[in-house]
Amino acid sequence: MARTKFGDPILHCLIVDDSSFDQEMMYRTAKKAVENMKVRIVGTLQAARESLMDGPVSLIILDNSLPDGKGADFALELVRYPRLAKIPVIIASDWPSPFMWDKASTAGVRCVVTKSEFSSELVCKVLNVS
């Protein structure tokens, strides 16, 4: 488990998933990766948009199938805003499709994985922490 060093900025993770089971799994995995990371959880893309305006975000963990749209489309939306385009995104999906991979690649998503492949090691790798 990584821990940011004294004086380093605290990392902030935004989890976007509508399943309470998956939210808990992603939360535990993110906290295992970086012990003192702050984590916010939302269940819709609209709530994610609002959360992005509420404070810093160092990482977005994003489901692809949400009640109000597709996570890959949301990732494409983020790249239109320079501040948001810099935030690393991991899409963790139950059923990654070729269309999702194409959109994610175009949006600069760091990783697309199945939820069973999502791990604390992946979070550390994307955040470049050890």
Side-chain angles (χ1 to χ4, degrees):
M1 171 183 0
R3 182 169 177 84
T4 55
K5 298 177 189 91
F6 180 76
D8 287 352
I10 297 295
L11 299 174
H12 294 81
C13 177
L14 175 61
I15 296 171
V16 187
D17 198 299
D18 60 326
S19 161
S20 59
F21 177 83
D22 290 336
Q23 288 173 347
E24 182 65 24
M25 177 274 294
M26 292 176 184
Y27 175 84
R28 287 179 182 198
T29 302
K31 292 296 278 186
K32 182 179 177 188
V34 182
E35 178 184 356
N36 57 342
M37 181 162 39
K38 304 290 185 189
V39 180
R40 293 190 303 248
I41 301 172
V42 298
T44 65
L45 296 175
Q46 183 56 40
R49 289 180 190 98
E50 293 166 8
S51 186
L52 285 167
M53 298 305 124
D54 287 343
V57 175
S58 312
L59 172 67
I60 299 172
I61 303 169
L62 180 62
D63 185 17
N64 192 54
S65 296
L66 293 152
D68 55 346
K70 297 291 184 194
D73 293 330
F74 181 67
L76 285 170
E77 183 182 319
L78 295 176
V79 298
R80 295 186 296 190
Y81 303 95
R83 180 179 69 84
L84 302 177
K86 296 176 185 173
I87 301 170
V89 175
I90 298 171
I91 294 181
S93 176
D94 289 319
W95 307 104
S97 72
F99 297 111
M100 184 186 65
W101 285 88
D102 289 343
K103 286 181 184 178
S105 176
T106 301
V109 170
R110 298 285 176 92
C111 296
V112 177
V113 295
T114 64
K115 289 183 179 175
S116 62
E117 296 171 323
F118 182 70
S119 68
S120 57
E121 293 81 15
L122 178 66
V123 171
C124 287
K125 179 181 173 188
V126 168
L127 289 173
N128 197 27
V129 296
S130 52

